[in-house]
Amino acid sequence: MPIFQQLAHPQLTSVASVTRPIHAKKGQTVFRPDEVSQTLYIVNTGQVRLYHLADDGKERVLRVLNPGDFIGEIALFTDEIHNNYAEATQVTELCTISRDALTDLIQRMPPLALSLLGALAVRLKSAEHQATLLAIPDALPRLAGYLMDLSQGQATTVTLPMSKQDLAAYLGMTPESLSRKLKQLVTAGAIVTSGRREIRVIDVDQLQQVAPQ
């Protein structure tokens, strides 16, 4: 897992000794709003989506956690009260570390603290970028900008890291709107879709013209 990659083998053994696994079935809630947590959750296998419910009852996907991703780091500093839902999208195993154990590890292993700070900085940058995309009123540039990021501006095949339904919620649109906008990009010759999640960017310039500047 990325946040542990800088640790030596004896240090990894120390981490393993305080880690506890939990298992979640597809659709099972890992935690829900108003629950108090003093735990760091790290996805080992499977996938977890983090979302909240808007006032109109619609889901807003905030992030999808894949193997190596973590959530609950605020518990390191305070008694975190969750205000979002975390739900397994497939059979999932998570590794959990209590706040006391994590604090002790960080005090003894400075590289772990640096890895956590680096991961949090990347997450903050991603959250700011998502906020910028969501501020765009037109759904088509929003989608094009997301695909540009995912493909890193290259003509290549990418796999969506989440279901199309979750991607629609992540980008602030309906699944029907997402399907229409994907078809528009296909018609424009910017992309080709294959299967449920594969998208091939074939004309970067065309996609760039649609994406926000």
Side-chain angles (χ1 to χ4, degrees):
M1 297 181 181
I3 62 174
F4 300 131
Q5 286 180 354
Q6 303 302 317
L7 302 182
H9 183 74
Q11 294 173 320
L12 290 173
T13 301
S14 296
V15 173
S17 69
V18 298
T19 301
R20 300 290 180 267
I22 61 173
H23 298 84
K25 299 177 181 178
K26 181 179 179 179
Q28 182 177 335
T29 299
V30 179
F31 59 74
R32 63 184 65 249
D34 299 328
E35 291 183 351
V36 178
S37 174
Q38 294 185 340
T39 304
L40 181 74
Y41 297 86
I42 307 169
V43 179
N44 183 26
T45 60
Q47 188 181 74
V48 172
R49 68 188 187 115
L50 191 69
Y51 70 95
H52 75 256
L53 295 178
D55 293 338
D56 59 3
K58 293 182 179 179
E59 292 182 4
R60 163 76 186 283
V61 175
L62 304 174
R63 195 154 56 93
V64 172
L65 285 73
N66 292 299
D69 293 334
F70 62 90
I71 190 66
E73 67 284 348
I74 299 176
L76 176 62
F77 308 104
T78 183
D79 292 331
E80 178 179 17
I81 299 178
H82 295 299
N83 53 15
N84 303 307
Y85 291 87
E87 178 188 274
T89 62
Q90 52 189 266
V91 176
T92 299
E93 180 185 68
L94 300 104
C95 301
T96 64
I97 305 177
S98 70
R99 178 169 70 178
D100 290 342
L102 184 60
T103 300
D104 179 64
L105 289 173
I106 288 176
Q107 290 174 343
R108 293 189 289 115
M109 306 173 189
L112 177 57
L114 292 175
S115 293
L116 279 170
L117 286 173
L120 291 174
V122 170
R123 184 180 302 175
L124 178 60
K125 181 178 179 181
S126 176
E128 290 176 341
H129 189 65
Q130 182 192 12
T132 301
L133 282 179
L134 290 177
I136 300 170
D138 192 341
L140 186 61
R142 216 180 303 158
L143 174 60
Y146 176 83
L147 294 178
M148 283 291 293
D149 291 340
L150 192 62
S151 66
Q152 298 182 342
Q154 303 292 320
T156 185
T157 299
V158 296
T159 300
L160 297 177
M162 62 189 86
S163 68
K164 288 181 179 177
Q165 181 175 349
D166 283 344
L167 177 59
Y170 179 80
L171 293 176
M173 61 181 80
T174 64
E176 294 76 16
S177 178
L178 175 64
S179 295
R180 289 195 298 269
K181 300 309 177 185
L182 283 171
K183 288 180 181 178
Q184 282 184 248
L185 292 177
V186 170
T187 301
I191 65 170
V192 172
T193 59
S194 175
R196 292 185 176 181
R197 295 196 182 187
E198 283 196 356
I199 294 178
R200 183 159 59 94
V201 177
I202 57 177
D203 191 332
V204 177
D205 291 337
Q206 180 65 34
L207 192 61
Q208 179 66 57
Q209 288 180 18
V210 181
Q213 301 303 313

